[in-house]
Amino acid sequence: MLSEFDLIKRYFAQHSCTDPRIALGIGDDCALLNPSPGMQLAVSTDMLVSGRHFFADADPYLLGHKCLAVNLSDLAAMGASPLAFTLALSLPEANPLWLEKFSQGLLVLADTHRCSLIGGDTTKGPLNICITVFGELPPGSALRRDAAQLGDDIWISGTLGDARLALASYRKELSLAPLEHQLAATRMHQPSPRIALGTALRGVAHAALDISDGLIGDLGHILQRSGLGASLHIDSLPAGPVLARQPLALQRAFTLAGGDDYELCFTAPVAQRAAVLAAGVSSATTVTRVGSIEAAPGLRLLDDFGQPVTLQLTSFDHFSSP
Amino acid sequence: MLSEFDLIKRYFAQHSCTDPRIALGIGDDCALLNPSPGMQLAVSTDMLVSGRHFFADADPYLLGHKCLAVNLSDLAAMGASPLAFTLALSLPEANPLWLEKFSQGLLVLADTHRCSLIGGDTTKGPLNICITVFGELPPGSALRRDAAQLGDDIWISGTLGDARLALASYRKELSLAPLEHQLAATRMHQPSPRIALGTALRGVAHAALDISDGLIGDLGHILQRSGLGASLHIDSLPAGPVLARQPLALQRAFTLAGGDDYELCFTAPVAQRAAVLAAGVSSATTVTRVGSIEAAPGLRLLDDFGQPVTLQLTSFDHFSSP
């Protein structure tokens, strides 16, 4: 069996760590970073557990992609540019084939976003993947959850719900045609972190976060932290292309409380509408206006006619769900 | 059962995050750090798995201490001052008593070293604790593994082997008197990260690392990375107070290949002997000179008479050991 050191060297030593911001990469007690002068550092950690966040037999290439993507998504939601990441990996066994594909999926996405793997840890144990990602942004430009302002528009990047639809299909809760299932599953397995949009929204948007546990719950964090309420035009919510062919009730349920979308939900002043659309264009990312920040606490769901809609939906919570 | 958000708020929101270097702590997509101007950032990650790195029924207070201590030890080994850390936690259940004690053990040590908990992740799953720690140091001052120089003295902080002795006692490989067991077990459960010594050695020592897998294996990393060899005077190795009362063969085995010591092994020029001793005094840490860096590759073990000693010892490896 491969030793811990051989394993790290063979699969995770990136070919070319030529980024001058990385003073020392893998192989010492610590990695050393030289953050760009005057920039603030953004840090986020996500832990993915087999059987909970992914199927035990998940394609390792896609899994490698997704583990880093969900972390990059947190940087995007803050408006930060990727810098580097660490990877801690607990594995039942050192399977060369699995490691090769996993590291490929991970490092291809890392290279795409100029985010160097600078260190980590490997150990034997139940499959668990923990990534901590570092980004940079100018001080004062972060898109914080507590920064929504009264009157702000609420915007969503991309589309929502196809990842949740794929999960429903895997669980046999509904039946999709093979091509539909495949399209939806791609959204579930290969989320695109909205880094380019996030950085383009610096100085344009007020508050932002990424939608991982469902729009209603996640938007609720912005409202709670900002001490405000909101109305959402639920029929304006951009359903994913596969979900858009499903019944309206399912579209509403999965756009509002789907989970695993990794799109940005952000608020911006009405005066910035053109700038938001321009940020969407420059980052090649669709942006859709879906509601408004209001003074009255709570979240109101409105249909196309401006009429209140009552839905029984909850957001995902790791400890209150079974 | 507590929700994920209640859990984080109740047990892990530190009372007073007044460190001006922490621009934004727990609760957003990312934490935001303002590293001190002109300083380099040191980053390290360790993942601890139940049944592998600690007993499943380990005292949660001690476990909280140890998880952070082993990460701070990596900062110490680089000569970095603590700044902040993230915590990712996979738990079979949200047990309030366990969480209260675990977080206490963790945060007391964090406060001692002015190392703020700035973010993390919690999820349901097999018990797994992943910490990423951040420190600061002046550029060019890091104690790197590849920096040993021909003729350097080799030094060890504190004492070695008592943690391994405690493990042997837990495993009933030998029998210790109750008080002896307790003293040795404290070394196993509550390692003291040598932060003060590590920072005092900036500009004094060349190479350093922390001894986690056993001196022979860990010193081997310095030798390999520096392209040099060494002689160790094995009867000069500072055995822990409990181990020092055991037979010589056991002292040699556990000081050389014990593991879990979290002491620093470092090299420094002969001309810096007084400065090393002064760093020991200023940091209230014993330092012992145990050998020399030499040109001939490999590690030679010498007894008190300068005679070569042959021992069959191996270092710990997570994937090659059962």
Side-chain angles (χ1 to χ4, degrees), chain B residues 153-236:
Chain B
D153 293 321
I154 301 172
W155 298 79
I156 302 288
S157 71
T159 63
L160 301 176
D162 270 1
R164 179 64 183 84
L165 188 65
L167 183 64
S169 171
Y170 278 117
R171 287 177 174 167
K172 315 275 187 213
E173 294 168 4
L174 50 77
S175 174
L176 295 177
L179 183 63
E180 288 182 324
H181 175 84
Q182 198 182 317
L183 280 170
T186 299
R187 276 305 303 263
M188 180 178 175
H189 298 305
Q190 291 199 281
S192 302
R194 301 302 187 188
I195 293 287
L197 177 63
T199 52
L201 289 173
R202 288 179 195 158
V204 173
H206 283 151
L209 47 58
D210 71 325
I211 306 169
S212 54
D213 295 339
L215 173 59
I216 286 188
D218 286 326
L219 176 57
H221 299 314
I222 288 184
L223 301 183
Q224 189 191 4
R225 300 290 292 270
S226 301
L228 291 164
S231 285
L232 269 188
H233 297 280
I234 62 172
D235 294 322
S236 305

Side-chain angles (χ1 to χ4, degrees), chain B residues 13-25:
Chain B
Q14 253 165 329
H15 314 295
S16 54
C17 187
T18 53
D19 190 331
R21 300 172 300 175
I22 315 299
L24 183 65

